[in-house]
């Protein structure tokens, strides 16, 4: 997804690697994906289902890094993933 590798870690969905360039380059290994379009996600399946449900061009993803929580907007057209 946007060149990200994600994995499930307990009740968290975490980023394991990010692209050097592109829409997700500001994200870092260990960032936690908390929500997609204001819907909590805990698994890769949750994440994919919420991405597919959205009809918006830009997807809002709530992330956490340590104590910092923020929303990143990513273009849906940039999404690629294998199921």
């Amino acid at each position: 997804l946007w060149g990200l590798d994600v994995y499930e870690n307990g009740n968290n969905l975490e980023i394991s690697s990010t692209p050097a360039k592109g829409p997700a380059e500001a994200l870092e290994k260990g960032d936690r994906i908390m929500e997609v379009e204001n819907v909590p996600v805990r698994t890769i399946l949750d994440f994919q289902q919420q991405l597919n449900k959205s009809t918006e061009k830009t997807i809002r993803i709530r992330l956490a890094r340590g104590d910092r929580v923020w929303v990143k907007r990513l273009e849906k057209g940039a999404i690629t993933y294998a199921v």
Side-chain angles (χ1 to χ4, degrees), residues 3-58:
L4 296 174
D5 290 326
V6 298
Y7 67 99
E8 296 172 21
N9 184 8
N11 286 331
N12 295 312
L13 188 59
E14 296 187 7
I15 296 172
S16 58
S17 68
T18 61
K21 294 184 179 182
E25 66 185 274
L27 305 181
E28 295 180 4
K29 179 179 179 178
D31 287 350
R32 295 180 315 279
I33 300 170
M34 301 169 62
E35 297 176 354
V36 174
E37 293 296 327
N38 298 316
V39 176
V41 293
R42 302 274 186 257
T43 67
I44 293 170
L45 182 60
D46 290 346
F47 188 45
Q48 290 174 337
Q49 287 174 337
Q50 290 309 312
L51 291 174
N52 290 334
K53 273 185 181 180
S54 177
T55 59
E56 302 296 323
K57 274 184 89 172
T58 302

